[in-house]
Amino acid sequence: MALSIRILTFLSITCIALNTFAKDSYIIADAYLDVKSGQLLTKPTLHIRDNKIIAIKLNGKMTIPAGAELINLSGKTLLPGLMDMHVHLSGDASDNFLAAMNYSIPRQTIKAAKNARATLMAGFTTVRDLGASGYSVIATRDGINAGEITGPRIWAVGHAISITGGHCDDNFSAPERRVKADGVADGPWAIRAKVRENIKYGANAIKVCATGGVFSKGTKVGIQQLSYEELKSAVDEAHMRGVVIAAHAHGTNGIKAAIRAGIDSIEHCSFMDQEAIELALKHGTYLSCDIYNTEYTLAFGAENGVPEENINKEKMVSKAQRESFRVSAKAGVKMVFGSDAGVYPHADNGKQFSRMVKFGMTPLQAIQAATMHSAALLKQNLNLGQLKPEFLADIIAVDGDPLSNISLLENVTFVMKDGVVYKQK
Ligand SMILES: [Zn+2]
């Protein structure tokens, strides 16, 4: 008897607690985009409870209780919150390139907090940060999750993993200064240890640098850096720990080795050949091609102090990368949206949509890359990437039809993350 009274008391307290904290709101709009079918559905009403979508009904078929919180987005089209799978929140492209390398980790963390807020306000409710010094973005993520600062959901890799002297090492200093990036490791077991170290300090994604890159000194974009054995050990360790792993890879051999090793996404993917496309199709590998930022680097790089070596590499890569994007998309390779924001100004992420359409995608495919496909890459396809009952209430709106004008995604006018409104105009 005493026990059942105790259970009843517990249940009623729980119910009171649930009632006390459950927050209901309703959104009405002109339309919403079902990103899976590509249909624009008219006059939706969405019922949001706390951080979840509870129900969606069309054409006024949902009764909104009197006195309920109503968010009136008449004239607007709703979409799922946008997702960018390649950002670097702790840096600003407009800072002097070499001077910014001497920013302290606390300074970089402040930058990351500022840029996280700007990114959310641009409609990107989820991002994956692919490399920052000193766990600065992991601290930013934790601050956002604790409600102390404002920003998107973040998957963060900690330090990008690189060979000695590779793209993600720091090669700009004289040898006697003994500068080495924290993500440097050589050999399969050392690489495994680096994956473990990143996870130990909070990484919920991993990145390896499989080839040379544009913004490093003395690396060649087309040249493979991590061996297949090293890539395989990183992939095995990350997957054993249940973590998604990305490979920075421009060059063809590095792309193929990373795909064969079982990598989840290839970043940049500049020099794809037919075999690389077939391998990506066979392994279900996602491509994350940052095809917008070249415009910023070529226009403003010199002004921002980017060395000539790096600007020349950008010139060499950009045309090939856009062609690789075009043929890969046409072949049906799985694509996510990855912009490399930080190489160009944060909050301009949405400018990449129109370039994805220009270089071969339909507007719907570009939107799917930034929603349901990115959610699938992160293994969040039951929580994120669509507007559906039981999904998290990450919702944005634009003023019009994004399928007929993709550039509308550069001007997101409503942002909700986790059921909380951050922007409405
Ligand atoms: Zn990057």
Side-chain angles (χ1 to χ4, degrees):
M1 186 63 177
L3 184 66
S4 61
I5 288 172
R6 233 186 260 171
I7 290 170
L8 278 174
T9 311
F10 171 76
L11 284 175
S12 57
I13 289 170
T14 311
C15 289
I16 290 165
L18 285 176
N19 282 335
T20 307
F21 294 111
K23 181 179 172 284
D24 288 273
S25 59
Y26 294 80
I27 301 176
I28 56 171
D30 268 19
Y32 87 91
L33 180 63
D34 177 347
V35 294
K36 198 168 179 188
S37 69
Q39 280 187 294
L40 263 184
L41 299 161
T42 52
K43 300 277 173 215
T45 308
L46 278 70
H47 177 192
I48 313 294
R49 175 168 292 159
D50 296 329
N51 66 340
K52 277 192 172 176
I53 300 169
I54 297 291
I56 305 178
K57 292 264 168 68
L58 299 177
N59 301 313
K61 286 191 182 134
M62 189 186 301
T63 313
I64 299 173
E69 184 189 341
L70 178 66
I71 301 164
N72 187 339
L73 301 180
S74 296
K76 296 182 193 292
T77 302
L78 307 179
L79 298 102
L82 302 171
M83 307 173 78
D84 190 335
M85 295 296 98
H86 191 143
V87 302
H88 298 281
L89 292 172
S90 58
D92 280 316
S94 55
D95 287 346
N96 180 276
F97 184 77
L98 293 172
M101 284 186 186
N102 289 317
Y103 285 171
S104 68
I105 287 161
R107 182 74 188 93
Q108 292 180 55
T109 311
I110 299 286
K111 289 257 175 198
K114 170 185 75 76
N115 293 329
R117 185 176 194 285
T119 302
L120 178 66
M121 293 307 172
F124 286 79
T125 52
T126 299
V127 299
R128 185 174 58 161
D129 190 281
L130 287 187
S133 301
Y135 308 107
S136 49
V137 175
I138 288 172
T140 304
R141 177 199 69 196
D142 293 349
I144 292 166
N145 291 347
E148 295 157 356
I149 53 174
T150 297
R153 295 169 198 289
I154 298 178
W155 270 257
V157 303
H159 301 124
I161 298 171
S162 167
I163 62 161
T164 295
H167 173 63
C168 299
D169 193 0
D170 178 349
N171 307 329
F172 284 92
S173 301
E176 56 270 29
R177 291 189 64 204
R178 303 268 187 276
V179 174
K180 178 171 137 179
D182 286 326
V184 169
D186 296 291
W189 278 103
I191 300 240
R192 269 190 185 264
K194 211 39 102 173
V195 172
R196 291 170 184 173
E197 189 180 306
N198 273 316
I199 293 173
K200 174 180 178 178
Y201 294 114
N204 54 352
I206 294 291
K207 178 193 184 183
V208 289
C209 297
T211 73
V214 170
F215 288 99
S216 50
K217 187 178 176 187
T219 73
K220 293 193 166 59
V221 281
I223 297 297
Q224 183 175 346
Q225 295 186 339
L226 287 163
S227 69
Y228 170 79
E229 291 74 17
E230 289 171 320
L231 289 163
K232 185 82 172 75
S233 69
V235 169
D236 287 351
E237 186 66 28
H239 286 171
M240 189 171 79
R241 303 294 297 276
V243 173
V244 170
I245 178 166
H248 157 104
H250 290 281
T252 317
N253 289 342
I255 291 172
K256 290 177 188 174
I259 295 174
R260 287 192 175 108
I263 211 86
D264 296 301
S265 69
I266 297 288
E267 307 300 313
H268 309 299
C269 33
S270 302
F271 300 101
M272 296 285 290
D273 66 7
Q274 189 54 36
E275 188 186 26
I277 289 172
E278 281 162 19
L279 279 170
L281 286 168
K282 182 178 153 200
H283 288 262
T285 317
Y286 287 90
L287 300 188
S288 167
C289 311
D290 51 326
I291 58 172
Y292 164 68
N293 64 46
T294 185
E295 293 172 38
Y296 180 85
T297 301
L298 296 183
F300 299 103
E303 192 179 305
N304 296 336
V306 177
E308 203 179 343
E309 173 194 346
N310 306 91
I311 291 178
N312 287 339
K313 286 201 272 189
E314 182 59 47
K315 283 180 189 161
M316 196 179 109
V317 159
S318 56
K319 204 171 159 208
Q321 188 192 32
R322 290 169 165 195
E323 182 60 12
S324 287
F325 171 82
R326 193 185 64 75
V327 293
S328 302
K330 194 170 174 216
V333 179
K334 295 198 281 186
M335 295 277 191
V336 293
F337 184 104
S339 71
D340 219 353
V343 165
Y344 68 94
H346 293 280
D348 277 359
N349 313 54
K351 289 188 177 175
Q352 185 167 280
F353 283 105
S354 63
R355 277 60 173 190
M356 291 167 88
V357 171
K358 182 175 173 189
F359 292 99
M361 277 186 170
T362 64
L364 178 65
Q365 285 173 328
I367 293 169
Q368 286 173 333
T371 54
M372 53 188 287
H373 295 329
S374 290
L377 169 61
L378 295 177
K379 305 194 187 313
Q380 296 297 311
N381 42 314
L382 298 178
N383 299 316
L384 297 170
Q386 294 185 62
L387 298 182
K388 268 177 83 166
E390 291 306 310
F391 275 53
L392 292 168
D394 284 11
I395 302 167
I396 62 156
V398 293
D399 297 349
D401 173 7
L403 295 179
S404 54
N405 179 8
I406 193 73
S407 298
L408 287 172
L409 291 168
E410 295 172 19
N411 187 18
V412 169
T413 56
F414 172 82
V415 178
M416 170 181 273
K417 187 194 102 184
D418 248 343
V420 176
V421 177
Y422 288 91
K423 179 180 188 180
Q424 188 173 355
K425 65 177 190 183

